[in-house]
Amino acid sequence: QSWTVVPDFTHHAHSASLSAVAVNNRYVVTGSRDETIQIYDMKKKVEHGALLQHNGTITCLEFYGTAHLLSGAEDGLICIWNTKRWECLKSIKAHKGQVTSLSIHPSGKLALSVGTDKTLRTWNLVEGRSAFIKNLKQNAHIIKWSPDGERYVTVITNKVDIYKLDTASITGTITTEKRISSLRFITDSVLAIAGDDEIIRFYSCDSQKCLCEFKAHENRIKGIYSFEREGQHVIVTASSDGYIKMWNLDLNKIKDVPSLLCEVSTKARLTCLAVWLDQASEMKENSEKAATSSQANEDEKLSIVKKKKGCLTDKSDKTAERKRKITPKKQKLEAPLQKKKKKRNSSA
């Protein structure tokens, strides 16, 4: 079976480089150094609007199910968004410095965040308040829950600390030679780690031993994503070399190097990666599989959200860009700005 990756929807989203991306079953959201979060409806393949709650680069975005989005930024805020009306339900001053990473527990009741104030914070999402603060020796730049929610990991430069949920204590540490830029749980106990070299490594969280390593790109790796499709486990990688690659991983032979399914050169400097799966078409394919299995394979659709570096424009351009991108759904947030503008005009 051969795979191909083709551009399906392209949009010049921001006036600066992209710093974060997240997907759920319908939407793709992108965060940028231009301080905005842009929303895209992938079912309709249209731009849906912009969220303007943060001041500073958007550093992390994560959906929980179909109803909520969490965002973190350099302003130290974590915002909780309702994705039906795209309203900001709560804005939490999470860190004294910048929020560098956040992760939502699979139950949706807890979230973890790390920031440049050298703290790891636990958030009670049911009540929207701080539950616990742990001081770290250095600033962590990645935090991630395991799929079963039994453990979580933090990344500090080139070191991964593995914590158990029930004790909140470190059970093991993985150290790499280069700075780690991306990390993904392949299973509850296997981590894929990549960073400032061309190598992807799989580690066991239990033994902290490297199970497999392979050269994936010609430059540093900026993103790893994984998903299952018709029983096949696929790893997607993006690099500063401009390539997106897809790999077939046999979980029963985790020590074997994954086989390359396909690759595509985006001719862009990639900064982050997410994969949106057309679940409706997948369900349709599965229902028709018995009768037309070969056709289902051909119809298999995958949208890769690729991120490329833009250029900074001046503030007037940025303001114009923001105004243009606000949909009627965001008028509630924009109302105070419009009132201020009218007041200035009348006094002039």
Side-chain angles (χ1 to χ4, degrees), residues 172-275:
T173 299
I174 296 165
T175 306
T176 62
E177 286 185 17
K178 299 285 182 76
R179 185 181 188 273
I180 296 164
S181 58
S182 52
L183 171 149
R184 180 86 178 175
F185 274 95
I186 303 301
T187 68
D188 293 324
S189 61
V190 176
L191 273 173
I193 296 173
D196 286 358
D197 57 14
E198 312 88 44
I199 312 294
I200 289 177
R201 296 175 177 89
F202 298 149
Y203 283 91
S204 164
C205 288
D206 300 317
S207 68
Q208 294 91 55
K209 288 182 179 174
C210 183
L211 305 172
C212 172
E213 64 174 61
F214 62 100
K215 182 179 177 180
H217 290 272
E218 296 300 322
N219 207 324
R220 65 183 62 178
I221 296 161
K222 300 297 287 185
I224 308 176
Y225 213 87
S226 64
F227 64 92
E228 281 192 42
R229 188 97 176 191
E230 297 180 357
Q232 192 173 22
H233 204 96
V234 180
I235 309 285
V236 188
T237 59
S239 166
S240 295
D241 64 13
Y243 274 87
I244 295 171
K245 296 187 180 185
M246 302 176 70
W247 311 82
N248 181 28
L249 175 65
D250 188 341
L251 291 176
N252 297 319
K253 299 175 182 175
I254 196 76
K255 293 185 178 182
D256 292 353
V257 174
S259 57
L260 185 65
L261 289 166
C262 65
E263 60 181 61
V264 60
S265 173
T266 63
K267 296 182 173 60
R269 184 185 161 201
L270 303 175
T271 57
C272 44
L273 171 86
V275 176

Side-chain angles (χ1 to χ4, degrees), residues 82-142:
N82 172 305
T83 61
K84 296 289 184 281
R85 297 182 302 277
W86 293 106
E87 288 177 338
C88 183
L89 302 175
K90 195 169 183 69
S91 179
I92 305 165
K93 182 59 180 173
H95 290 270
K96 290 176 184 174
Q98 306 170 6
V99 180
T100 51
S101 182
L102 62 84
S103 185
I104 305 168
H105 189 268
S107 68
K109 295 177 181 178
L110 285 177
L112 297 172
S113 67
V114 286
T116 56
D117 55 2
K118 297 181 183 176
T119 63
L120 187 166
R121 298 178 185 241
T122 307
W123 301 97
N124 179 331
L125 293 181
V126 178
E127 298 176 15
R129 61 174 178 83
S130 176
F132 185 72
I133 300 172
K134 179 180 174 64
N135 291 313
L136 303 173
K137 290 179 182 177
Q138 292 172 276
N139 291 327
H141 63 277
I142 300 174

